[in-house]
Amino acid sequence: MRWLALALVLGLALAQKPQVLIGTGGVGGVYFYYGTAVAEILSKAGVVQAQAMQSGGSMENLMLLRDRTDPARGVYYCGTVLPDAALMAYQGEERFQGKPAPVRILFTMYPNYLHVVTTEDSGIRVLQDLRGKRVSTEVAGGIIEYEARILMGAAIPGFDPKVHFAKWERVRVAESAQMLSEGNLDAFFWSGGLPTGSILELSGSLARKGKRLFLVPLLKESTPVQVLMRRFPGVVDTGVIPKGVYNTRFDAPTLTFWNVFVCPASLPEEVAYAMVKAVFENLQSLYAAVAPARDTTLENAVRSRGGKVPYHEGAVRYFRERGVWR
């Protein structure tokens, strides 16, 4: 009888654990594997019932956070997102106009690098060369498409993808890479960690055909880069994709964005604290699962605190205890 009572108590405790759904991105991108690894860590630690889900990326993850979180049922949508998307959501801009998302940062993850991917024999060397080409700007309505439009608008006055691209695709990175490999696409935009699996596979596929990957350089002093950096002050930085990452002939200067793992403000402080604690006590598991996670460290976790999007109180408490939030 006592065992039955104990089983009922344990069952009730399990049922009362918050359910955390982690929006990631498409298969082939780092978000998907990173979010899946975090969900496994959280579930094994027993702090929440966590489940990763494939999604359209940052914008969709933030909309799910805003629209599907239900504290009364113990359901919270978290996600991996780009910092410019988090800022737009928090401030109620663009697709969040009139209905901001109550987004809070749990920790900063790793830097994304903006990739403009093509081949050496495409003739594409600068953004203006994308005129008249078959180009994918990632999923419709996503933050990568938004960034691509800003860059292209600064490169080509009056830019309209339906007019200036010979063919405008809006597909995920894995599909874009396959289409480029098969000769059905000339270039695509992508923002992801280093290396991104789909682009690494694309580089190998091209090499077997006697071709070579080329990443369009995005120079800091160029007008498109300056325009995007002014649009998101303090969020966008510059960096370099080393030639050894994808076996390109040259290093590629580009833009970087430090990704953030976010949850809703309504997530209870104790739960947020326990989630962050579980992740940072199991970093080796995260590192083993996804290469870019090597930049997820205690020091880097708080690097977004100078921005406008606030950290969750539970996360702040943990980072104060660890001595990195000063």
Side-chain angles (χ1 to χ4, degrees):
M1 199 68 177
R2 280 185 299 173
W3 285 111
L4 178 59
L6 180 58
L8 288 172
V9 170
L10 289 173
L12 182 60
L14 181 63
Q16 290 176 339
K17 278 184 185 173
Q19 184 180 5
V20 172
L21 295 108
I22 300 172
T24 60
V27 175
V30 178
Y31 275 6
F32 178 78
Y33 304 107
Y34 191 105
T36 299
V38 169
E40 290 176 355
I41 288 171
L42 296 177
S43 294
K44 285 181 180 178
V47 294
V48 294
Q49 299 178 68
Q51 179 181 343
M53 51 185 287
Q54 183 179 335
S55 76
S58 299
M59 300 294 267
E60 183 178 340
N61 294 343
L62 288 159
M63 288 184 170
L64 288 168
L65 180 154
R66 182 191 66 184
D67 301 333
R68 300 282 292 276
T69 291
D70 187 351
R73 293 175 49 237
V75 176
Y76 302 91
Y77 279 79
C78 298
T80 51
V81 307
L82 278 159
D84 44 353
L87 181 61
M88 283 197 297
Y90 179 71
Q91 296 186 153
E93 299 171 344
E94 300 295 332
R95 294 175 68 185
F96 298 90
Q97 189 75 40
K99 194 178 179 183
V103 57
R104 296 293 184 270
I105 297 172
L106 281 191
F107 57 91
T108 303
M109 304 189 299
Y110 62 89
N112 258 21
Y113 292 75
L114 190 61
H115 300 55
V116 184
V117 184
T118 185
T119 59
E120 284 193 347
D121 62 0
S122 69
I124 299 168
R125 295 294 178 267
V126 295
L127 290 174
Q128 288 85 345
D129 293 335
L130 292 173
R131 185 196 297 262
K133 302 294 186 179
R134 301 165 299 173
V135 182
S136 173
T137 56
E138 250 284 322
V139 295
I143 188 62
I144 297 173
E145 180 181 273
Y146 184 78
E147 294 163 358
R149 281 176 172 270
I150 291 177
L151 289 169
M152 291 305 300
I156 301 175
F159 172 73
D160 182 342
K162 295 178 181 177
V163 174
H164 292 99
F165 291 154
K167 185 180 182 182
W168 180 28
E169 296 285 357
R170 304 163 93 182
V171 296
R172 298 179 190 274
V173 61
E175 188 174 348
S176 291
Q178 183 177 350
M179 290 176 68
L180 194 147
S181 177
E182 294 171 350
N184 298 318
L185 197 68
D186 298 310
F188 63 89
F189 285 82
W190 168 249
S191 182
L194 299 182
T196 291
S198 291
I199 301 176
L200 198 60
E201 291 172 12
L202 170 62
S203 177
S205 172
L206 290 172
R208 290 189 291 274
K209 298 175 183 178
K211 297 185 177 184
R212 198 164 196 164
L213 193 80
F214 182 79
L215 298 174
V216 176
L218 300 174
L219 302 173
K220 183 176 182 178
E221 60 272 18
S222 68
T223 298
V225 167
Q226 288 297 313
V227 168
L228 189 59
M229 291 183 76
R230 285 197 297 271
R231 172 65 183 87
F232 298 107
V235 170
V236 185
D237 203 351
T238 54
V240 173
I241 301 176
K243 60 185 178 182
V245 175
Y246 300 116
N247 191 32
T248 51
R249 202 179 301 276
F250 310 102
D251 293 344
T254 190
L255 292 162
T256 62
F257 312 74
W258 276 84
N259 297 285
V260 286
F261 191 93
V262 299
C263 284
S266 58
L267 185 72
E269 181 179 335
E270 290 299 325
V271 176
Y273 173 89
M275 287 174 62
V276 176
K277 186 174 188 288
V279 170
F280 284 88
E281 287 185 352
N282 292 278
L283 284 178
Q284 292 307 316
S285 296
L286 189 58
Y287 296 165
V290 55
R294 62 184 177 273
D295 287 315
T296 302
T297 65
L298 274 170
E299 291 73 22
N300 284 337
V302 299
R303 67 181 298 137
S304 302
R305 66 177 179 167
K308 295 182 179 180
V309 182
Y311 275 71
H312 196 289
E313 294 168 354
V316 172
R317 177 155 66 91
Y318 177 79
F319 294 132
R320 279 203 177 112
E321 287 181 4
R322 296 300 304 271
V324 293
W325 190 283
R326 301 180 184 90

